[in-house]
Amino acid sequence: MLKFQLPFRYLLLVILGLSLPISTVITLTSIKPAYACRPAPGSKRSTLAQKISAAPIVFQGVVTKVERDTLTIQVSEYFKKNGSKPTVVNLKGFNRNSCQDVISKPGKRFLFFASVENESWNAVYDGAYGSVRPWNAETVNELKELGMMLSH
């Protein structure tokens, strides 16, 4: 009887050659895709009071121009801001950082949360929840409850 014996090196290569593709397939099938637009599991949208507390500047106004990630805003009212209060603001950080803040055309009114660094106005984000609130009856009522607004 003739025995056929494979060298040890050859057996090792065969084992590695089979195990590597199998382990790669197992690893890749267990990876779940990340969704940038979804909040982290268990996270909650900040309350309006929390957002106001976290942002150095809070104001409402109408978007008059959209250019890439920068909005030009005609400010109607400041609710929180030290120092000068310009009537027109160029606010950066939109249309790329959050699925909540995709503003593609002018004309709508929002409540904005911002900061200023080196004379550049930037959006202040609440994770995946964005840096604006729609200007509507709910927002107005919340601002009134916080004592930040008289009857409008």
Side-chain angles (χ1 to χ4, degrees), residues 66-77:
V66 178
E67 191 172 316
R68 292 184 297 272
D69 74 332
T70 303
L71 304 179
T72 301
I73 303 156
Q74 179 68 48
V75 179
S76 301
E77 184 174 4

Side-chain angles (χ1 to χ4, degrees), residues 3-17:
K3 281 189 172 180
F4 182 73
Q5 193 172 18
L6 294 173
F8 178 73
R9 287 183 196 162
Y10 182 74
L11 286 173
L12 187 60
L13 285 174
V14 168
I15 292 169
L16 285 174

Side-chain angles (χ1 to χ4, degrees), residues 4 12 14 43-44 64 104-105 114 122 130 134:
F4 182 73
L12 187 60
V14 168
S43 69
K44 294 180 184 177
T64 59
S104 59
K105 57 185 177 181
N122 301 296

Side-chain angles (χ1 to χ4, degrees), residues 68-128:
R68 292 184 297 272
D69 74 332
T70 303
L71 304 179
T72 301
I73 303 156
Q74 179 68 48
V75 179
S76 301
E77 184 174 4
Y78 283 92
F79 298 101
K80 182 180 175 185
K81 166 86 169 79
N82 292 326
S84 67
K85 297 177 179 174
T87 56
V88 176
V89 170
N90 291 315
L91 190 59
K92 296 180 182 182
F94 289 88
N95 303 333
R96 63 183 174 145
N97 293 335
S98 171
C99 298
Q100 301 289 324
D101 287 349
V102 177
I103 299 172
S104 59
K105 57 185 177 181
K108 290 194 176 180
R109 181 177 302 274
F110 295 94
L111 180 67
F112 294 92
F113 303 90
S115 66
V116 177
E117 189 174 318
N118 299 326
E119 298 183 29
S120 177
W121 287 60
N122 301 296
V124 173
Y125 278 86
D126 178 15

